[in-house]
Amino acid sequence: MSLQPLKPASTSIASDAVGILRRFSHRTLLLGGAGLVLAGCQTTSAPVASVPSNNGAVLDLRENNVQAQRIQSDQFAKAMANNSAARQAFFDVDGQLSAESAAKARLVAAIRQHMHSNSTAISSVRYMETPVNAADSVDKGTDSLYDSFIKTIAYRSEHQYDDYDDYDSDYDEYDYETEVDAEVAAAEYGDEPALATAEDDLEASGYDDEDEYDYDDYDDHYYEDYDDYDDHYYEDEEDSVERLKTGITTDYIEMKRAEADASNAEDTAGIMQKALNMLKRTDEQVVADNFYQNQYVTFSSISESNPQARTLRSVYSYDYLAPTVQSSIQLPLMLDFNNKRMVVDASAAKPLVAMGSSSFTEGNQDQVQKLLNQDALVVSFGLPEDLAKAVPTDVFYDSFINALEASFAEIPASTVSDVTAQQDAFANALGASQVLKVDFDSKQSGAMLGRIVKHMSRDLQQYVKAHPDMYADKDQFNDMLERLSLYNKGYHSTDMGKLMQLIEALAPLSLNQNNYYYLDRAGTLVGKQQRLALHSPFLNMQQMAVNQVRYNAKDFSKHALTPLLRTTFSNGKGAPTIMDGNQLVKDIKKEQGYAEAARYARYDYDMFNEYDYDSAIADYDDTYGDDFDSDMSH
């Protein structure tokens, strides 16, 4: 059989073959390059078998023995299972980081036990400020990006009319009225040169002797001018686009050059720049704050939690203890979720209460002195009746506790790490044998908040569905839960973390938080330390707040604030009388309503008293008196 020549129709087949070869060659080169990368460009003297040996992991399709095929099939299935497990472990970060996973498990167990057990806590917060940059830092003396942007915008707004001011000065130098007067005078007094110049201008304008326009000449000039206009228009448009792209940087360079040329930077600073400079803290101001304020200030608190009764009793104290001045303000507070009430000792706010109620006025000095001399002003506030029926505060409490536990269980294991307790002074004071560190940056804090919101809304919805009779007529509350549920379906918890990162990027400050949890040998939570770092180059300040919490009943019983907590919320003999806060608020609002009505009534009294009737009668007599008398005579 002889070979037949190719027909023209086979050209497409040839082109397809060429395309296949080209794609095959590209893939071969790609796989070859990947092989070189994976091999690390290493060579070996040992020969490499092109086909794996028959070790049971690969099926030998040439085998005809049924028993051998069954053995190979079983071995192949085991090998595939092992490969699948190895692949899953390769991508399982939590599985690889066994130390972090174990630390997270201990942390979640300790928090779960602590949240469901009666506990006491003693907290102490101290503050310290430092300049945002060290003396030898490369960023020393530079502005933050946020600060530079605001200053540049302010500089642009304050100098955008500089060119117009120059134009106005040139225009003012031109005496337009004098030129007009000269031309009018030349025409009136027969100034021949001036008239000749005017005639030349008239001829140049295209007007002929027969009072007709020279349209041809006009068209030529018109299109020439139009072409010039187009050229200038597009040039201006290109300049505008270029200015738009480089305007902010150009203005920044001009602002910095103006500051460098000026002998004093304040001389060239506008109102906005001066305001920003006033907000920025100097290094000396930061040192002074630490010396005169921060080293003497302590925020302390003690609390007692009872999860079964759903109560939390606390005393918060602000203490300023300096060599020359000593002051302290305490605020006892109790939250009772079962009874939907809040009890607070507002003794520190007694002057404000006296000012807010008309019962304590200058005429009632006895009432004022009685209030100020009272040992305690304990007020109890409860939810209004309608709101108390709709809002299950006990369910809110349980939902928050469960959401906090579940949210901690969902944090990445890579954020939890073991820290040695030997060099930690606070750990030694607590007797802790384990220290677990958890990093909470803006991303993790936002994700934690998103998880808590989702867990709580889900628990509340389940409670409402389980009690339909209680919420059959609570349309507003049900609508709120439905909206919240729909909102929760539209975002991930990590999206809240990204939102917090966006806010941190736009805001002139950043907040980072490191939590240290201290456990004893039995895995019980005995203490916690929080370190919050507020970093703000915009204010040239970095503030560090350290909060140390002790979960120790012995230290709680010996604390100076414990007797105040016992006496304020006790029901025994000598306990302070508890006032009804809801009724007190109603009385104050009623008194304010009476005072407002009286004030508007006095407006009418003032208008009546200030009207001068004598002068009005005198004016009437001067205007209408004669006519009135003549009419009466007739």
Side-chain angles (χ1 to χ4, degrees):
M1 183 177 63
S2 61
L3 295 175
Q4 300 293 332
L6 292 175
K7 296 181 180 180
S10 62
T11 305
S12 60
I13 299 177
S15 61
D16 292 341
V18 173
I20 293 173
L21 290 175
R22 184 184 294 113
R23 288 192 296 271
F24 178 77
S25 61
H26 290 171
R27 294 177 181 178
T28 303
L29 292 175
L30 179 62
L31 293 175
L36 289 176
V37 172
L38 294 175
C41 298
Q42 297 178 358
T43 58
T44 177
S45 59
V48 179
S50 58
V51 180
S53 59
N54 188 8
N55 56 3
V58 178
L59 291 175
D60 187 3
L61 300 179
R62 297 172 296 180
E63 182 64 51
N64 295 324
N65 191 319
V66 177
Q67 186 67 21
Q69 289 179 354
R70 184 180 297 107
I71 295 175
Q72 285 187 2
S73 178
D74 296 338
Q75 292 176 348
F76 183 78
K78 293 180 181 179
M80 290 296 294
N82 294 334
N83 291 337
S84 178
R87 181 181 180 277
Q88 185 176 0
F90 185 80
F91 290 100
D92 186 7
V93 177
D94 294 340
Q96 285 188 339
L97 304 177
S98 57
E100 285 80 356
S101 299
K104 174 186 171 181
R106 296 198 305 271
L107 175 63
V108 173
I111 291 177
R112 181 179 292 111
Q113 179 187 6
H114 179 78
M115 297 295 289
H116 291 278
S117 303
N118 295 345
S119 62
T120 58
I122 302 174
S123 173
S124 177
V125 184
R126 303 295 298 270
Y127 296 91
M128 185 182 69
E129 296 178 5
T130 58
V132 72
N133 295 316
D136 56 348
S137 174
V138 69
D139 293 327
K140 189 67 175 180
T142 61
D143 295 329
S144 64
L145 182 61
Y146 191 88
D147 195 5
S148 300
F149 179 76
I150 294 180
K151 286 184 177 181
T152 305
I153 296 300
Y155 178 84
R156 171 187 287 183
S157 62
E158 293 170 359
H159 295 80
Q160 61 181 342
Y161 297 112
D162 290 350
D163 296 337
Y164 295 99
D165 295 337
D166 297 339
Y167 175 78
D168 291 340
S169 62
D170 295 339
Y171 180 77
D172 293 338
E173 295 176 357
Y174 178 75
D175 195 348
Y176 177 76
E177 295 180 356
T178 303
E179 294 292 335
V180 173
D181 293 341
E183 293 178 2
V184 173
E188 290 181 354
Y189 294 99
D191 191 348
E192 297 297 336
L195 294 175
T197 302
E199 291 177 357
D200 294 339
D201 294 338
L202 184 61
E203 292 178 358
S205 65
Y207 188 80
D208 57 11
D209 296 338
E210 298 179 356
D211 298 335
E212 294 180 357
Y213 284 103
D214 189 353
Y215 291 99
D216 296 336
D217 185 60
Y218 175 79
D219 292 340
D220 295 338
H221 286 290
Y222 173 78
Y223 286 111
E224 291 176 359
D225 295 339
Y226 184 77
D227 294 337
D228 294 338
Y229 173 78
D230 289 343
D231 295 338
H232 288 294
Y233 174 77
Y234 287 112
E235 290 176 0
D236 294 340
E237 186 179 9
E238 292 176 357
D239 294 340
S240 300
V241 175
E242 188 66 22
R243 180 69 176 178
L244 181 62
K245 293 189 295 185
T246 62
I248 187 70
T249 56
T250 303
D251 292 334
Y252 173 77
I253 295 299
E254 292 178 359
M255 178 187 67
K256 285 300 182 182
R257 287 174 178 173
E259 292 179 356
D261 295 339
S263 58
N264 186 2
E266 292 293 331
D267 296 339
T268 60
I271 297 177
M272 180 62 69
Q273 295 187 40
K274 290 181 180 179
L276 295 178
N277 292 335
M278 291 177 62
L279 294 176
K280 193 179 293 292
R281 312 291 297 279
T282 63
D283 295 350
E284 292 76 13
Q285 287 176 325
V286 172
V287 174
D289 283 344
N290 288 329
F291 185 78
Y292 293 105
Q293 177 74 15
N294 294 330
Q295 69 169 331
Y296 302 126
V297 172
T298 303
F299 284 95
S300 303
S301 68
I302 62 172
S303 60
E304 191 174 29
S305 174
N306 188 342
Q308 285 73 27
R310 298 184 180 90
T311 58
L312 177 65
R313 304 192 302 175
S314 306
V315 175
Y316 301 93
S317 176
Y318 170 84
D319 304 319
Y320 184 86
L321 304 178
T324 57
V325 179
Q326 295 183 2
S327 63
S328 179
I329 300 176
Q330 291 86 32
L331 178 66
L333 176 67
M334 183 180 72
L335 300 177
D336 189 349
F337 291 91
N338 281 344
N339 297 319
K340 302 179 176 63
R341 302 197 67 83
M342 178 183 71
V343 182
V344 57
D345 185 354
S347 300
K350 285 189 291 186
L352 299 178
V353 175
M355 293 174 59
S357 177
S358 61
S359 301
F360 308 100
T361 58
E362 295 181 359
N364 297 329
Q365 291 295 330
D366 295 338
Q367 294 287 342
V368 175
Q369 291 298 328
K370 182 179 179 180
L371 175 65
L372 296 179
N373 294 332
Q374 187 176 343
D375 293 336
L377 180 63
V378 182
V379 186
S380 175
F381 296 93
L383 289 178
E385 185 177 355
D386 296 339
L387 189 61
K389 293 180 179 180
V391 179
T393 54
D394 52 345
V395 179
F396 266 102
Y397 179 86
D398 296 338
S399 176
F400 177 75
I401 298 299
N402 296 332
L404 194 60
E405 294 178 8
S407 300
F408 264 102
E410 294 182 28
I411 62 175
S414 58
T415 60
V416 184
S417 58
D418 270 307
V419 180
T420 178
Q422 297 178 356
Q423 304 298 327
D424 194 331
F426 188 57
N428 295 331
L430 294 174
S433 59
Q434 307 176 58
V435 182
L436 302 177
K437 179 183 177 183
V438 182
D439 295 327
F440 276 101
D441 55 3
S442 58
K443 182 178 180 180
Q444 290 297 334
S445 300
M448 188 79 171
L449 178 62
R451 288 191 290 266
I452 291 176
V453 171
K454 285 194 171 186
H455 280 292
M456 290 189 64
S457 61
R458 185 184 62 183
D459 292 345
L460 289 175
Q461 281 187 322
Q462 292 177 354
Y463 178 82
V464 171
K465 290 181 180 179
H467 303 80
D469 298 337
M470 297 175 57
Y471 298 92
D473 56 344
K474 305 298 186 299
D475 296 335
Q476 186 175 2
F477 184 73
N478 294 331
D479 182 68
M480 182 193 69
L481 289 180
E482 182 186 4
R483 288 176 176 271
L484 187 59
S485 176
L486 296 177
Y487 290 150
N488 290 336
K489 293 180 179 180
Y491 70 93
H492 289 174
S493 300
T494 54
D495 294 333
M496 292 289 290
K498 296 175 183 178
L499 179 61
M500 294 293 290
Q501 284 183 316
L502 178 62
I503 295 175
E504 186 181 47
L506 297 178
L509 53 89
S510 59
L511 180 64
N512 292 321
Q513 178 180 352
N514 294 326
N515 291 354
Y516 297 85
Y517 296 89
Y518 297 86
L519 282 65
D520 60 8
R521 296 185 181 277
T524 304
L525 187 65
V526 296
K528 182 179 68 171
Q529 183 173 188
Q530 292 176 301
R531 291 182 173 269
L532 282 77
L534 180 65
H535 184 81
S536 178
F538 179 73
L539 301 176
N540 190 32
M541 179 194 68
Q542 179 172 278
Q543 187 180 70
M544 175 67 72
V546 179
N547 179 22
Q548 292 182 344
V549 184
R550 300 167 179 260
Y551 303 110
N552 192 321
K554 293 182 179 180
D555 294 339
F556 178 83
S557 60
K558 299 178 182 179
H559 200 273
L561 296 176
T562 302
L564 178 60
L565 184 143
R566 299 296 189 197
T567 57
T568 302
F569 304 115
S570 64
N571 297 324
K573 184 178 180 180
T577 303
I578 300 179
M579 300 176 59
D580 188 352
N582 295 49
Q583 186 63 38
L584 180 62
V585 172
K586 290 180 180 179
D587 295 340
I588 292 177
K589 288 184 178 180
K590 185 184 296 184
E591 293 170 358
Q592 291 177 351
Y594 291 155
E596 192 74 8
R599 184 168 65 89
Y600 281 108
R602 285 194 296 270
Y603 287 160
D604 298 336
Y605 300 156
D606 294 340
M607 293 176 60
F608 180 80
N609 294 329
E610 293 177 359
Y611 192 77
D612 192 352
Y613 287 95
D614 294 336
S615 61
I617 294 173
D619 294 339
Y620 182 83
D621 290 340
D622 294 340
T623 306
Y624 306 103
D626 297 337
D627 297 337
F628 181 77
D629 294 338
S630 61
D631 292 340
M632 291 299 294
S633 62
H634 291 292

